[in-house]
Amino acid sequence: MNTTTSLILSCLALIFLVAAIGTRMLRARIREMKARRFHPQSVATSATSAAGFQSLPAIQASDNFKNLFEVPTLFYPLCVGLIATGHASTAFAAAAWAFVMLRIIHSVIQCTHNQVKPRFLAFVASSAVLLGMWTAFALALLFALGR
């Protein structure tokens, strides 16, 4: 598999993770709404939603879903930039998959036992990988400009 395909597949894997967590959140919320018999309008805002949902699966999945729209959003443009500038390499592809795997680990932890220390370690490790990728990409661009 070439590096471009690998980078695209890593992005797709992260997108499928977002879809899986979104589905988990939706199912947990619907289950709780039915069990507690409250109207969907009663959780129309984030404030009323926070007060309305009390089960851990609904809260944990929601928190994780939000997390997947924070740091990981810096991953997608990086992959596009690597491909567009021709800087995609085996090292970047390996780092991309490491980032995705760490985000999966983070999601599994947050949506199950939710132990803060291992979840935080997965977060820090994934963020470090992403920062390293951005740094290496920036240096590669600067080096290419200097030629």
Side-chain angles (χ1 to χ4, degrees), residues 19-39:
I21 298 300
T23 300
R24 179 181 173 92
M25 177 184 66
L26 180 64
R27 292 178 71 203
R29 284 183 171 193
I30 289 172
R31 186 172 28 253
E32 187 169 352
M33 288 173 75
K34 285 181 179 179
R36 295 184 60 216
R37 296 185 176 151
F38 56 82
H39 192 275

Side-chain angles (χ1 to χ4, degrees), residues 15-72:
I15 289 166
F16 284 119
L17 175 63
V18 172
I21 298 300
T23 300
R24 179 181 173 92
M25 177 184 66
L26 180 64
R27 292 178 71 203
R29 284 183 171 193
I30 289 172
R31 186 172 28 253
E32 187 169 352
M33 288 173 75
K34 285 181 179 179
R36 295 184 60 216
R37 296 185 176 151
F38 56 82
H39 192 275
Q41 195 60 38
S42 66
V43 290
T45 67
S46 60
T48 57
S49 181
F53 289 109
Q54 296 175 357
S55 72
L56 282 179
I59 294 167
Q60 288 169 286
S62 177
D63 287 348
N64 188 252
F65 190 72
K66 291 173 192 168
N67 289 162
L68 291 169
F69 287 96
E70 293 170 354
V71 173

Side-chain angles (χ1 to χ4, degrees), residues 1-8 10 78-79 81-83 85-97 133 136-137 140:
M1 170 182 334
N2 69 37
T3 55
T4 297
T5 302
S6 186
L7 285 170
I8 292 169
S10 67
L78 174 61
C79 290
L82 288 167
I83 293 166
T85 60
H87 285 93
S89 68
T90 304
F92 277 120
W97 279 106
M133 290 176 71
F137 181 47

